Amino acid sequence: MKRVAIVQSNYLPWKGYFDMIAAVDEFILFDDVQYTRRDWRNRNLIKTPHGTKWLTVPVQVKGKYKQTIRQTKVDGTDWRAAHWTALQLNYGRAPFFDEVFEMLAPFYTGPAVTHLSEINRQLISMVCKYLGIETKISSTGDYTMVEGKSLRLADLCVQADAKEYVSGPSAKGYIDADMFKARDIALSWFDYSGYPTYPQLWGDFTHQVSIVDLLFNCGRDSGTYMKCVSH
């Protein structure tokens, strides 16, 4: 029974995002929807000695009120060096810094990428490979999009030959379950609660940070602190 999740791409998402990827057979990046400002699309949090800090990818938004995530272009290239330096400064003493830093290096020191969606996809794919997640990652660009929030999701599941749609819990307020039932697609909700703590630098523990925090601190044992990643 093929399981599919359909989620907007994020910049260096948190561990729950990767757990959802690992829980399904195909993970579709939902990037043909409107780009939302001050969201997780182009930024995420890391820990520092002074609390959490945003790593933000600057994007071109002036006058582009209806652009999709896929259409959103990066504004400049200096941010890559700034993020690279921030990771070095704040995780340099973490147990698996060298190993994870080497894994991320091709992105931060290689050819610059112009579009946010591709940045996110590249980094998500790199982390999945490191964690041993073999889920197929595709994009809504590979499919036909129809109108209607729930209908669009259900139709994407049909196109992907899915028999179960796995959704984040925040969608409970707007998803029309009947759209899936009519197409004989089971609807389930991913549970982000109950994560254990792990050895973490800099003060009080927080779950709401980028996956890189877990990777730098726990390396290939990161799956021990996740729900669906083998370890």
Side-chain angles (χ1 to χ4, degrees), residues 14-25:
W14 80 304
K15 61 194 172 194
Y17 191 100
F18 288 94
D19 251 341
M20 182 182 273
I21 295 176
V24 298
D25 301 297

Side-chain angles (χ1 to χ4, degrees), residues 75-115:
D75 191 6
T77 58
D78 292 347
W79 66 273
R80 290 201 308 162
H83 289 196
W84 197 227
T85 300
L87 293 175
Q88 287 178 290
L89 288 174
N90 294 293
Y91 292 103
R93 64 176 67 181
F96 298 92
F97 174 78
D98 290 341
E99 180 177 297
V100 176
F101 205 60
E102 182 180 355
M103 180 267 290
L104 293 172
F107 173 79
Y108 285 100
T109 62
V113 180
T114 58
H115 286 72

Side-chain angles (χ1 to χ4, degrees), residues 32-150:
D32 289 290
V33 291
Q34 188 172 347
Y35 169 78
T36 48
R37 303 187 190 195
R38 293 180 292 279
D39 214 333
W40 300 102
R41 309 292 83 80
N42 69 317
R43 64 179 187 170
N44 224 298
L45 291 166
I46 61 169
K47 285 195 76 180
T48 81
H50 310 291
T52 54
K53 168 188 173 69
W54 287 107
L55 293 185
T56 302
V57 179
V59 296
Q60 299 175 20
V61 294
K62 189 173 182 179
K64 302 176 186 290
Y65 302 108
K66 294 185 178 181
Q67 69 178 344
T68 64
I69 301 168
R70 184 186 306 284
Q71 292 168 338
T72 302
K73 292 184 178 181
V74 177
D75 191 6
T77 58
D78 292 347
W79 66 273
R80 290 201 308 162
H83 289 196
W84 197 227
T85 300
L87 293 175
Q88 287 178 290
L89 288 174
N90 294 293
Y91 292 103
R93 64 176 67 181
F96 298 92
F97 174 78
D98 290 341
E99 180 177 297
V100 176
F101 205 60
E102 182 180 355
M103 180 267 290
L104 293 172
F107 173 79
Y108 285 100
T109 62
V113 180
T114 58
H115 286 72
L116 178 64
S117 185
E118 183 57 28
I119 286 170
N120 292 346
R121 182 166 185 165
Q122 282 191 23
L123 287 167
I124 288 167
S125 296
M126 291 168 79
V127 172
C128 282
K129 184 177 180 180
Y130 179 81
L131 289 171
I133 299 172
E134 298 180 348
T135 299
K136 176 184 177 181
I137 296 178
S138 58
S139 166
T140 45
D142 302 325
Y143 295 96
T144 300
M145 295 275 278
V146 300
E147 291 301 319
K149 262 187 177 180
S150 294

